[in-house]
């Protein structure tokens, strides 16, 4: 008799955040038709991107200004995502990021076409070298943002392109990159996450220090390798006692709650003898911290996600700085065109 399919809680969470971001980006058009959602009306995609918080951090710390289009909301989201990564690793990538979900959903078509060959096309030696690429992207993005004071990466950002392609405001390089990633996802699972995402690169570092790790119990493991085969990031889980790979996105597909057939064999645990956390508990804590953090800062009056075109904000709001940011933003707009 076929085993009943396990409830896919992660898919529900991914659908929720994907729909939310799609609604936010569609809201301007909806508002023009008199159907806008008031809570979302003045919110921009960049103000809701936790990587925007990372990008603006240097400029904010040194000048008191946000890089144009970013806001305090992005810094709050960045802090919440870092806290979650410290607890559970990059759960943002595996559960919340709509661009990660998009690649996974395209990948389902690839799995149907290529079956077991899917996600196995790139030779391991080439794959190993390519995995360092995203650290180069991270250093480049942070450097150009700090030097220019503008979100130059937005001209290439495929996440932005996915949710805004129909508005006519997306730069051509970003659309081309989105097309390559979409086609690439038919052959390789999450190609952007694996090889190019600067935020994934940064969050991946938390896999070395996360409190709740993924542990394999060698006494009950039967070496069936289902954990390794189910890993979207091609991590050889069944050869490790603890998953510490920089590539892990904390999707938990490998665990006994999902694809490992042996109960309590691949588990989430702080230490070998400490209590095991089910994936449902991890999800509840994650959503409580993330959504609770957003509503908590709204209640405290700290949250602000209004569209911030001029790079304003902060205590040193001098005209000179405003002009510098404006000039750089105009350069940015020209590049985008
Ligand atoms: S899926 Fe579970 S039993 Fe199979 S190799 Fe991995 S940890 Fe061991
Ligand atoms: S090791 Fe497990 S949790 Fe990490 S990416 Fe692979 S399947 Fe997901």
């Amino acid at each position: 008799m076929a085993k009943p399919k396990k409830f896919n809680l992660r898919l529900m969470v991914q659908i929720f955040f994907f729909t939310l971001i799609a609604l936010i980006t569609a809201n301007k058009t909806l508002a023009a038709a008199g159907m806008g959602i008031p809570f979302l009306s003045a919110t921009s995609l960049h103000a809701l991107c936790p990587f925007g918080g990372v990008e603006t951090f240097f400029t904010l710390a040194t000048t008191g200004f946000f890089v144009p289009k970013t806001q305090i909301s992005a810094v709050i989201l960045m802090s919440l995502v870092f806290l979650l990564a410290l607890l559970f690793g990059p759960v943002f990538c595996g559960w919340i990021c709509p661009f990660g979900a998009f690649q996974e959903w395209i990948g389902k078509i690839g799995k149907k076409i290529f079956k077991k060959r899917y996600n196995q096309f790139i030779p391991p030696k080439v794959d190993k070298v390519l995995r360092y690429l995203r650290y180069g992207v991270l250093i480049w993005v942070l450097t150009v943002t700090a030097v220019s004071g503008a979100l130059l990466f937005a001209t290439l950002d495929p996440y932005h392109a996915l949710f805004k392609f129909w508005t006519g405001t997306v730069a051509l390089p970003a659309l081309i990159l989105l097309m390559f990633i979409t086609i690439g996802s038919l052959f390789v699972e999450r190609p952007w996450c694996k090889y190019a995402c600067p935020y994934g690169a940064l969050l991946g570092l938390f896999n070395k220090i996360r409190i709740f790790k993924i542990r394999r119990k060698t006494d009950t493991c039967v070496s069936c390798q289902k954990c390794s085969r189910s890993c979207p990031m091609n991590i050889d889980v069944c050869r490790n006692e603890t998953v510490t790979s920089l590539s892990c996105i904390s999707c938990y597909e490998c665990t006994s709650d999902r694809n490992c057939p042996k109960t309590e064999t691949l588990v989430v645990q702080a230490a070998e003898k400490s209590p095991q956390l089910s994936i449902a508990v991890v999800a509840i804590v994650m959503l409580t911290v993330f959504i609770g953090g957003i509503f908590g800062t709204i209640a405290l009056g700290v949250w602000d996600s209004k569209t911030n075109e001029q790079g304003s904000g902060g205590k040193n709001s001098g005209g000179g700085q405003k002009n510098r940011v404006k000039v750089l933003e105009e350069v940015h707009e020209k590049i985008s065109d």
Side-chain angles (χ1 to χ4, degrees):
M1 203 171 71
K3 271 188 168 182
K5 269 203 159 183
K6 289 178 183 171
F7 177 68
N8 195 343
L9 180 59
R10 190 170 72 92
L11 179 62
M12 300 298 119
V13 175
Q14 287 178 309
I15 291 172
F16 171 77
F17 283 106
F18 188 95
T19 310
L20 183 66
I21 294 298
L23 268 179
I24 288 168
T25 49
N27 200 43
K28 271 190 188 165
T29 313
L30 290 174
M35 296 187 296
I37 304 162
F39 176 69
L40 305 175
S41 60
T43 303
S44 81
L45 197 54
H46 294 292
L48 291 176
C49 176
F51 188 56
V54 179
E55 288 176 285
T56 202
F57 197 77
F58 177 81
T59 305
L60 183 64
T62 54
T63 68
F65 268 81
F66 294 103
V67 168
K69 296 184 176 166
T70 63
Q71 259 295 8
I72 188 67
S73 51
V75 179
I76 293 167
L77 290 173
M78 173 195 78
S79 310
L80 294 171
V81 170
F82 281 170
L83 173 62
L84 288 172
L86 190 60
L87 288 171
F88 305 117
V91 276
F92 175 80
C93 306
W95 291 67
I96 298 173
C97 177
F99 196 60
F102 169 74
Q103 292 169 82
E104 261 186 56
W105 297 338
I106 298 291
K108 285 188 194 300
I109 303 169
K111 277 179 192 165
K112 287 239 178 329
I113 300 170
F114 297 113
K115 309 264 182 321
K116 283 185 178 167
R117 280 184 302 146
Y118 179 71
N119 207 21
Q120 304 296 331
F121 290 104
I122 299 184
K125 278 188 184 158
V126 178
D127 173 82
K128 204 173 169 185
V129 175
L130 287 178
R131 300 252 177 172
Y132 291 106
L133 198 64
R134 59 183 192 158
Y135 288 94
V137 177
L138 174 65
I139 293 165
W140 174 74
V141 172
L142 294 184
T143 306
V144 294
T145 310
V147 170
S148 69
L151 286 185
L152 295 183
F153 179 58
T155 57
L156 284 170
D157 189 350
Y159 167 67
H160 185 247
L162 174 66
F163 285 99
K164 300 279 251 183
F165 69 91
W166 46 275
T167 61
T169 60
V170 178
L172 186 63
L175 288 172
I176 293 171
L177 190 55
L178 175 63
M179 189 187 72
F180 272 112
I181 294 164
T182 308
I183 295 169
S185 298
L186 290 170
F187 300 88
V188 177
E189 194 147 19
R190 285 181 172 245
W192 173 255
C193 312
K194 271 189 190 128
Y195 304 124
C197 179
Y199 198 39
L202 186 60
L203 293 178
L205 299 173
F206 283 88
N207 284 316
K208 301 290 181 198
I209 55 165
R210 58 197 275 184
I211 294 169
F212 293 98
K213 296 186 166 65
I214 298 168
R215 295 174 185 276
R216 186 174 63 92
K217 310 281 178 193
T218 48
D219 49 341
T220 50
C221 172
V222 293
S223 302
C224 66
Q225 300 191 9
K226 282 194 176 160
C227 49
S228 301
R229 285 202 295 271
S230 63
C231 177
M233 303 302 279
N234 304 73
I235 298 166
D236 211 353
V237 184
C238 74
R239 284 186 197 273
N240 294 282
E241 285 189 25
T242 307
V243 175
T244 56
S245 166
L246 294 172
S247 294
C248 177
I249 54 169
S250 294
C251 64
Y252 300 119
E253 288 300 318
C254 55
T255 62
S256 295
D257 278 3
R258 291 290 299 155
N259 284 298
C260 169
K262 302 294 285 181
T263 50
E264 298 191 7
T265 296
L266 206 51
V267 295
V268 182
Q269 237 178 353
E272 210 177 319
K273 300 262 185 258
S274 60
Q276 298 169 11
L277 298 189
S278 70
I279 304 312
V281 168
V282 173
I284 289 167
V285 175
M286 175 188 71
L287 293 174
T288 307
V289 170
F290 196 70
I291 297 174
I294 293 170
F295 281 102
T297 50
I298 290 172
L300 291 169
V302 183
W303 178 271
D304 186 357
S305 61
K306 285 190 203 77
T307 303
N308 173 27
E309 296 296 338
Q310 304 302 325
S312 59
K315 54 188 184 314
N316 307 323
S317 317
Q321 174 66 14
K322 228 173 216 171
N323 286 340
R324 182 178 84 91
V325 173
K326 189 154 177 36
V327 168
L328 288 164
E329 184 60 7
E330 280 165 9
V331 171
H332 171 225
E333 293 299 336
K334 278 187 187 141
I335 295 169
S336 302
D337 292 340

